[in-house]
Amino acid sequence: MTDSPISNALATRDSGPSALIAQHRNDIELVMPSHMQKRVGAWIRTTQGLLRRNEKLLEAAQNDPGQFMAVLMDAANLGLVPGTEQYYLVPRWNKKKRCTEVTGVRGYQGEIELMYRAGAVSSVIVEVVYATDRFEYRPGRDERPLHEIDWDVVDRGELRLAYAYAVMKDGATSKVVVLNRGHIAKAMAKSESASGKYPHLSPWSTDTEAMWLKTAAHRLTKWVPTSAEYIREQLRARADVAAEQTPAPVALPQPITVDVEDEVVEGEFVDEDEVA
């Protein structure tokens, strides 16, 4: 009895990229931030489930398992979940290999997660502005943008702007990033997933608003600490403070050794009988 195409496909999944992920569980857990390591099982199951649901992604992972694992390790190192708006997994056409391979695209929720994880911000605001929205922001005059939305409008029109800023722990407002359609178009043109052989599979096509948000959030990371950089700076600062507060060692006087036999003490001899 021969196997059916469906059973063959399931066998491929069980012995292909899904099995490869399970085999590298320890490596994945090792590079994850400590707060994610307890959830490595759920992280792996989410990724395996994505392969089961997406034939194109499964095919791309099978074409180059090494590239696929490199992308997953990048997501794990950042502490982001693949196949979500934190970190997209996208099939990309490789001209040299003449086949698709998996590439990773950090989403706007991933960018925001890294900013929060740094511990320097109390809130991050990332929004898009549609044609019917009211938006005002003048640098130097306004601390934060004014964005008003008529929620009764069924169709808010086309996407017009994207903006992002953060409120720091001390209450200060970070630099405000505002991007128009021209800025977004330039960012999209640089995206390999959007300009490749399968642009319809790119998040630029499947989740356009999210990619506008991601572009604004990514620009904001230039002005707001992300986890790795901020933690390193904090550790360096603490080390500097500790060094300044540690008193310098006091040089104790060296003990003076005296050779009794060689020492000559000048003085008056006193007769004990006369004293008495």
Side-chain angles (χ1 to χ4, degrees):
M1 181 178 179
T2 58
D3 293 334
S4 66
I6 294 177
S7 62
N8 286 336
L10 291 174
T12 300
R13 287 191 178 100
D14 293 338
S15 61
S18 289
L20 188 65
I21 300 171
Q23 291 168 11
H24 285 80
R25 178 189 177 112
N26 291 340
D27 297 326
I28 292 170
E29 185 176 0
L30 186 64
V31 301
M32 277 183 166
S34 57
H35 75 281
M36 290 285 294
Q37 291 174 351
K38 293 182 180 180
R39 292 182 280 170
V40 63
W43 189 96
I44 288 175
R45 289 190 295 274
T46 298
T47 307
Q48 291 173 326
L50 186 64
L51 292 173
R52 287 193 294 270
R53 297 189 302 270
N54 191 325
E55 291 287 347
K56 287 290 185 183
L57 184 64
L58 175 61
E59 179 184 347
Q62 291 170 339
N63 289 337
D64 193 336
Q67 166 68 11
F68 175 59
M69 285 307 305
V71 169
L72 292 188
M73 294 298 282
D74 177 60
N77 184 51
L78 293 171
L80 304 178
V81 181
T84 68
E85 289 185 340
Q86 287 189 351
Y87 197 96
Y88 295 97
L89 297 181
V90 185
R92 175 185 64 182
W93 179 254
N94 188 311
K95 294 180 180 179
K96 293 182 179 180
K97 299 176 184 176
R98 303 297 299 170
C99 67
T100 56
E101 63 183 11
V102 178
T103 187
V105 179
R106 197 184 303 177
Y108 82 96
Q109 289 187 0
E111 302 282 6
I112 293 173
E113 169 67 17
L114 295 179
M115 284 185 269
Y116 274 122
R117 199 182 300 163
V121 303
S122 61
S123 62
V124 180
I125 293 82
V126 186
E127 295 288 348
V128 290
V129 180
Y130 283 86
T132 61
D133 297 351
R134 180 189 173 198
F135 181 84
E136 290 183 8
Y137 175 66
R138 183 181 297 176
R141 183 195 70 178
D142 304 325
E143 182 182 12
R144 302 171 187 177
L146 170 66
H147 184 194
E148 295 181 352
I149 302 170
D150 184 352
W151 296 108
D152 289 326
V153 174
V154 176
D155 183 1
R156 291 166 60 192
E158 295 184 349
L159 284 165
R160 196 181 100 199
L161 301 170
Y163 67 93
Y165 65 90
V167 179
M168 312 306 288
K169 284 287 182 68
D170 61 2
T173 302
S174 72
K175 179 179 176 64
V176 179
V177 173
V178 182
L179 306 177
N180 59 27
R181 295 186 67 88
H183 298 129
I184 300 297
K186 289 181 180 179
M188 182 177 174
K190 294 178 181 178
S191 170
E192 294 183 359
S193 66
S195 58
K197 188 175 182 179
Y198 301 104
H200 61 287
L201 299 176
S202 168
W204 283 101
S205 298
T206 61
D207 206 349
T208 304
E209 180 180 304
M211 293 307 292
W212 279 56
L213 293 169
K214 174 261 169 76
T215 306
H218 183 68
R219 296 287 179 89
L220 181 61
T221 60
K222 297 179 180 179
W223 307 98
V224 176
T226 57
S227 56
E229 125 190 38
Y230 186 71
I231 289 173
R232 284 196 298 267
E233 290 178 355
Q234 291 292 91
L235 291 175
R236 282 197 296 266
R238 290 172 187 169
D240 292 342
V241 171
E244 291 177 0
Q245 294 178 346
T246 302
V250 178
L252 298 176
Q254 295 296 319
I256 302 174
T257 59
V258 177
D259 190 337
V260 179
E261 295 182 357
D262 294 339
E263 183 179 17
V264 177
V265 179
E266 295 182 357
E268 182 181 2
F269 178 79
V270 178
D271 190 340
E272 291 182 359
D273 291 338
E274 291 180 0
V275 173

